[in-house]
């Protein structure tokens, strides 16, 4: 999960809780304070707390146990940090974890880059599910899921409601699709007029575009996830071992 250069409230809360975990204030195995307690102590809104807890869970600092609460795991090992890729996060995490709205769902003509990643003909039809994600009530990123029309049949991908499970789990349960690996590409470009309006961003600020191409074990393309991030609100960070 990328944090802005000037951290917003949820990022500041993430950092504060990380420091407490590292200092032993919240030792491994202990229960994290409740959402209400964090709201009261830090003077922030519930969406801010929810966003911060989601980041901590994605990065491996805490874990959620249904009906019990959130428990501290400790500082994540390098392997946990290394595996936290942007494309993978949007495919595996429940949509309900990312507040937002559905802005498009249905059959559309493929743009050239996505067509190439799906081994499809440019301008051929594919299924698109696009959601505008919000953080602290403000537009944050635009996430598009592209897949062949036949793979979208019998799914809930046209639903305007956020899915209570990740895209990977949903497609596996409904269509028997099994993801094997993801090839992730990052590029930058200027936004379109529609993207400027949807993301509430200046026209002269570029977008970071992340493409995650999912394939099965045979190498057959299954899904492409595209994440558009305004460059003035996000920075990308990676961690990997030195061999």
């Amino acid at each position: 999960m990328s944090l802005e250069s000037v951290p917003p409230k949820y990022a500041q809360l993430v950092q504060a809780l990380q420091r407490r975990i590292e200092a032993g204030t919240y030792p491994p195995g202990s229960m994290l304070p409740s959402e209400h307690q964090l709201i009261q102590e830090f003077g922030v809104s519930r969406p801010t707390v929810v966003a911060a807890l989601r980041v901590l869970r994605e990065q491996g600092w805490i874990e959620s146990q249904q009906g019990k609460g959130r428990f501290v795991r400790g500082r994540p090992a390098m392997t946990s940090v290394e595996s936290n890729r942007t494309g993978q996060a949007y495919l595996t995490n429940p949509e309900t974890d990312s507040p937002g709205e559905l802005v498009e769902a249905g059959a559309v003509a493929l743009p050239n880059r996505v067509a190439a990643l799906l081994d499809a003909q440019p301008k051929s039809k594919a299924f698109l599910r696009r959601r505008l994600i919000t953080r602290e009530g403000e537009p944050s990123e635009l996430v598009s899921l592209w897949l062949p029309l036949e793979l979208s049949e019998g799914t809930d991908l046209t639903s305007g409601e956020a899915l209570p499970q990740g895209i990977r789990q949903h497609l596996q349960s409904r269509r028997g699709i099994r993801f094997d690996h993801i090839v992730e590409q990052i590029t930058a470009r200027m936004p379109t007029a529609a993207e400027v309006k949807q993301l509430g961003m200046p026209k002269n600020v570029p977008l970071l575009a992340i493409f995650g191409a999912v394939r099965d074990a045979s190498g057959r393309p299954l899904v492409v996830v595209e994440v558009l991030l305004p460059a003035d609100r996000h920075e990308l960070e990676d961690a990997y071992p030195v061999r």
Side-chain angles (χ1 to χ4, degrees):
M1 179 67 194
S2 301
L3 303 183
E4 300 176 20
S5 298
V6 179
K9 291 181 180 179
Y10 82 90
Q12 295 175 36
L13 181 55
V14 168
Q15 294 167 353
L17 295 176
Q18 286 173 339
R19 286 193 294 268
R20 291 187 179 187
I21 292 172
E22 289 183 313
T25 306
Y26 304 145
S30 64
M31 181 178 289
L32 205 66
S34 67
E35 290 181 10
H36 178 72
Q37 290 172 319
L38 293 173
I39 290 169
Q40 293 297 313
E41 179 179 357
F42 289 92
V44 295
S45 66
R46 183 175 183 275
T48 296
V49 171
V50 170
L53 294 175
R54 178 179 56 79
V55 172
L56 290 171
R57 189 183 70 250
E58 288 176 0
Q59 294 183 345
W61 291 81
I62 65 174
E63 62 180 353
S64 298
Q65 296 184 17
Q66 190 169 4
K68 295 183 178 179
R70 299 176 178 87
F71 293 84
V72 176
R73 296 179 63 186
R75 183 178 181 85
M78 179 61 70
T79 52
S80 298
V81 177
E82 184 181 4
S83 66
N84 185 34
R85 298 292 193 265
T86 303
Q88 180 179 348
Y90 285 102
L91 290 166
T92 57
N93 295 336
E95 283 190 345
T96 48
D97 283 359
S98 300
E101 62 175 316
L102 185 73
V103 294
E104 191 171 357
V108 298
L110 282 170
N112 291 342
R113 189 183 190 99
V114 178
L117 293 173
L118 284 174
D119 289 348
Q121 292 296 318
K123 308 306 179 185
S124 60
K125 294 286 182 131
F127 184 85
L128 167 65
R129 179 177 175 83
R130 175 171 289 154
R131 296 184 73 235
L132 177 64
I133 307 301
T134 57
R135 312 285 184 201
E136 300 184 28
E138 298 293 332
S140 176
E141 57 249 50
L142 201 58
V143 181
S144 300
L145 181 78
W146 307 81
L147 68 161
L149 290 174
E150 63 272 17
L151 296 186
S152 68
E153 296 174 358
T155 69
D156 291 337
L157 295 180
T158 58
S159 172
E161 299 296 323
L163 300 179
Q165 56 189 179
I167 296 297
R168 177 181 182 178
Q169 184 182 354
H170 187 72
L171 289 176
Q172 182 172 325
S173 63
R174 294 297 183 89
R175 299 288 303 172
I177 298 171
R178 293 191 175 275
F179 293 0
D180 182 76
H181 61 278
I182 302 173
V183 178
E184 196 166 277
Q185 303 171 350
I186 302 174
T187 186
R189 64 171 174 81
M190 298 307 295
T192 65
E195 290 162 349
V196 166
K197 183 176 180 180
Q198 286 176 318
L199 290 164
M201 59 184 292
K203 296 179 181 179
N204 61 344
V205 172
L207 285 171
L208 296 174
I210 302 170
F211 293 88
V214 183
R215 295 179 178 264
D216 63 15
S218 70
R220 178 173 66 103
L222 300 173
V223 172
V224 171
V225 60
E226 175 191 22
V227 184
L228 299 180
L229 306 167
D232 63 339
R233 304 177 197 169
H234 299 268
E235 61 182 34
L236 300 178
E237 179 179 285
D238 199 3
Y240 48 86
V242 178
R243 304 189 187 281

